[in-house]
Amino acid sequence: MVQKPIIALDFPDRGTAEQFLQNFQDEQLFVKVGMELFYKEGSAFINWLKSQGHNIFLDLKLHDIPNTVYSAMKVLAGLGVDMVNVHAAGGYKMMELALKGLEEGTPKGMERPILIAVTQLTSTSEEQMQSEQLIDRGLKDSVLHYAKLAFAAGLDGVVCSALEAREISKITSQEFLKVTPGIRMEGDSSHDQSRIVTPRDARKLEASHIVVGRSITQAGDPLQAYEQVKLEWEMK
Ligand SMILES: O=C(O)c1cc(=O)[nH]c(=O)n1[C@@H]1O[C@H](COP(=O)(O)O)[C@@H](O)[C@H]1O
């Protein structure tokens, strides 16, 4: 089944986010709540989104020592969101304990949130990775390495660019999720993203999910922009 495009609700507060969501009336969406909105509004906003029937990716990109991430995940598991993430750079042990925390923290009768790991951010270019992270390899090698590590730690998938999705499937499994931000419609500004792909190409490249922010949230007509993204994404 093709997954709905995930809309990144990168808004400063609940009022602005709710105003944006009014464009979609009763449509059930898959939305992403990131640091800005969560730090401002906390779990009350998550509960409201759930009450509206939306699926939620809580994007807090945890990256800390294994025990801290374990304890934080135990708490996040109680929020009832569908997906959460960590940075793969936190390491194998951290990812393993993140999963354990989620498993232990998920209330009885609820499903454990999907856990994915960010490989290399889609804003990172190969040149930047090599000079700033001192990784003396190609960017794809680093992404594939992190994907293998996340797979071995038992995670459900990774965040990567669609450009890397097919190769990740080959070295992990077809079912291992490839959640891909850095999505732009033809001709859109790339803003701060480096590795960008259109919805149509993301599908061809075997991404399992696309995450779309500004191409929808900053469009003159967000509903029309969403429908356009969805159409391209669902077309094979
Ligand atoms: O984990 C993420 O969601 C994420 C990882 C990544 O590598 N790149 C990336 O852009 N994101 C998020 O995806 C969204 C992309 O937004 P736009 O660039 O506006 O489409 C933002 O909310 C980012 O925080």
Side-chain angles (χ1 to χ4, degrees):
M1 196 183 79
V2 189
Q3 300 290 330
K4 290 175 194 163
I6 302 175
I7 305 178
L9 297 180
D10 290 326
F11 294 109
D13 54 36
R14 182 177 176 156
T16 327
E18 283 189 23
Q19 202 179 357
F20 167 78
L21 288 170
Q22 278 169 14
N23 288 294
F24 301 87
Q25 285 161 358
D26 292 332
E27 182 152 357
Q28 298 196 338
L29 304 169
F30 200 150
V31 296
K32 182 172 83 71
V33 175
M35 297 177 217
E36 184 185 16
L37 199 47
F38 189 73
Y39 291 161
K40 172 85 175 160
E41 305 290 355
S43 55
F45 184 62
I46 297 292
N47 291 336
W48 180 80
L49 284 171
K50 278 203 302 178
S51 75
Q52 302 298 301
H54 301 308
N55 289 109
I56 305 164
F57 169 14
L58 181 59
D59 166 28
L60 299 178
K61 295 188 182 70
L62 273 59
H63 186 175
D64 207 322
I65 61 170
N67 187 58
T68 300
V69 171
Y70 162 72
S71 310
M73 281 297 181
K74 266 172 106 171
V75 178
L76 293 185
L79 295 179
V81 297
D82 300 277
M83 188 183 274
V84 293
N85 59 357
V86 293
H87 267 290
Y92 179 87
K93 189 80 198 157
M94 187 207 74
M95 290 193 273
E96 208 179 41
L97 279 185
L99 185 60
K100 187 165 180 266
L102 277 185
E103 280 166 352
E104 291 178 10
T106 302
K108 282 212 164 52
M110 270 167 66
E111 272 194 44
R112 169 180 71 73
I114 289 168
L115 177 61
I116 56 179
V118 177
T119 53
Q120 289 286 349
L121 291 165
T122 53
S123 53
T124 304
S125 66
E126 181 164 277
E127 191 191 20
Q128 183 195 350
M129 181 197 82
Q130 290 171 345
S131 66
E132 295 180 10
Q133 299 178 36
L134 280 189
I135 294 177
D136 198 13
R137 301 280 282 263
L139 187 134
K140 201 171 261 180
D141 280 358
S142 173
V143 170
L144 294 180
H145 170 69
Y146 279 141
K148 247 195 283 187
L149 203 63
F151 185 67
L155 270 62
D156 304 299
V158 284
V159 183
C160 58
S161 161
L163 298 168
E164 297 116 26
R166 196 173 278 155
E167 280 179 62
I168 291 175
S169 289
K170 280 192 204 143
I171 58 156
T172 58
S173 77
Q174 208 67 39
E175 292 71 39
F176 194 60
L177 301 177
K178 277 77 58 181
V179 178
T180 64
I183 299 293
R184 291 291 183 274
M185 298 298 278
E186 203 76 55
D188 280 0
S189 159
S190 55
H191 303 103
D192 53 350
Q193 298 283 9
S194 289
R195 306 191 326 273
I196 61 167
V197 177
T198 64
R200 182 179 287 125
D201 286 346
R203 185 76 197 288
K204 284 193 198 137
L205 291 165
E206 297 170 24
S208 54
H209 297 70
I210 51 172
V211 177
V212 190
R214 286 162 286 189
S215 288
I216 296 175
T217 56
Q218 293 185 7
D221 184 342
L223 178 61
Q224 194 197 28
Y226 175 69
E227 295 296 351
Q228 195 62 38
V229 165
K230 204 156 162 269
L231 193 74
E232 268 209 20
W233 167 239
E234 287 174 356
M235 207 155 52
K236 203 146 187 196

